[in-house]
């Protein structure tokens, strides 16, 4: 039946290699694409393929963020799984640093879009405590979201709440340049 992906109806486990191309077949059908990605994720977990699993979790998170309505909690859960992998890997092999920086930005996007400002600030603090190089990622994400809230959404209260959360970061704090930029936005 062409209306069934086959992923849910198969009684035997399908290998990750067999599922690898399925998500691309459904690029124009987000619900089916997500279903195929979730099946692929499960196969990668069964087969203990952590790097591929981290990559597919990141893809799942993006599909969930782009869904209508977005599944931000599901996206955050998948991003956290990918972050856990890359944070461990980067400790021994810095070649994954770019990937980790992208994931940190994506997680901030999800938390900010969810209006989970205290969680976003706590997450940002944790990342900055690990490595100060994330100042630019964190600072720019906070600034862009505060601007978007104030201008596009006309949600001044949320913009101010976000700014206050960023200002409360202490261990370590957000760089003074970003704090000044955000404080300048308090005129919303």
């Amino acid at each position: 039946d062409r209306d069934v992906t086959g992923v849910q109806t198969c009684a035997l486990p399908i290998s990750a290699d067999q599922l690898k191309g399925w998500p691309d077949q459904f690029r124009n059908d987000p619900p089916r694409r997500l279903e195929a990605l979730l099946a692929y994720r499960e196969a990668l977990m069964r087969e203990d393929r952590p790097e591929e699993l981290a990559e597919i979790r990141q893809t799942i998170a993006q599909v969930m963020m782009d869904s209508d309505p977005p599944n931000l909690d599901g996206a955050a859960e998948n991003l956290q799984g990918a972050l856990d992998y890359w944070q461990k890997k980067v400790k021994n092999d810095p070649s994954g640093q770019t990937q980790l920086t992208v994931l940190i930005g994506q997680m901030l996007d999800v938390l900010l879009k969810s209006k989970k400002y205290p969680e976003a600030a706590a997450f940002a603090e944790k990342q900055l405590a690990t490595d100060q190089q994330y100042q630019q990622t964190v600072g720019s994400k906070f600034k862009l979201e505060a601007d978007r809230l104030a201008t596009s959404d006309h949600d001044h209260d949320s913009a101010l709440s976000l700014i206050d959360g960023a200002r409360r970061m202490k261990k370590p704090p957000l760089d003074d340049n970003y704090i000044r930029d955000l404080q300048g936005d308090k005129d919303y």
Side-chain angles (χ1 to χ4, degrees):
D1 184 351
R2 66 176 208 175
D3 293 333
V4 177
T5 63
V7 174
Q8 291 180 317
T9 60
C10 184
L12 298 173
I14 299 173
S15 75
D17 290 335
Q18 291 171 309
L19 290 169
K20 189 173 188 168
W22 278 67
D24 291 336
Q25 293 179 25
F26 300 108
R27 282 215 177 266
N28 297 323
D29 187 349
R32 283 189 157 167
R33 182 164 192 243
L34 181 58
E35 184 180 325
L37 286 165
L38 292 171
Y40 186 29
R41 180 189 68 187
E42 296 307 311
L44 290 168
M45 290 169 69
R46 266 193 324 271
E47 296 173 19
D48 193 29
R49 293 165 63 175
E51 187 160 330
E52 291 169 276
L53 177 59
E55 291 168 3
I56 210 67
R57 282 180 166 155
Q58 186 176 5
T59 302
I60 290 169
Q62 191 62 55
V63 170
M64 289 178 163
M65 288 170 61
D66 294 342
S67 296
D68 187 22
N71 178 351
L72 299 175
D73 290 336
E77 181 182 322
N78 278 282
L79 286 171
Q80 188 59 59
L83 274 165
D84 291 344
Y85 170 78
W86 286 104
Q87 285 171 331
K88 288 176 190 169
K89 181 174 178 150
V90 165
K91 285 181 182 176
N92 301 319
D93 177 10
S95 67
Q97 188 59 55
T98 301
Q99 184 68 20
L100 184 56
T101 302
V102 168
L103 281 164
I104 289 168
Q106 286 179 305
M107 180 63 92
L108 282 170
D109 287 341
V110 168
L111 293 171
L112 294 171
K113 192 172 185 180
S114 302
K115 295 189 176 189
K116 294 181 178 179
Y117 306 131
E119 292 91 338
F123 174 78
E125 271 184 318
K126 183 178 176 184
Q127 303 316 308
L128 293 176
T130 303
D131 194 331
Q132 285 288 307
Q133 78 170 355
Y134 302 128
Q135 284 282 351
Q136 181 178 1
T137 300
V138 171
S140 63
K141 292 290 184 181
F142 277 57
K143 172 73 170 143
L144 287 171
E145 182 63 8
D147 288 348
R148 186 192 68 77
L149 287 166
T151 56
S152 299
D153 291 0
H154 303 289
D155 188 351
H156 303 290
D157 291 339
S158 291
L160 291 173
S161 178
L162 169 59
I163 292 166
D164 287 339
R167 289 180 56 226
R168 286 191 187 108
M169 292 171 50
K170 300 293 181 205
K171 298 180 185 175
L174 191 57
D175 185 85
D176 287 341
N177 293 325
Y178 295 111
I179 293 296
R180 274 193 298 277
D181 284 348
L182 287 168
Q183 284 177 328
D185 291 344
K186 286 201 115 174
D187 296 333
Y188 296 137

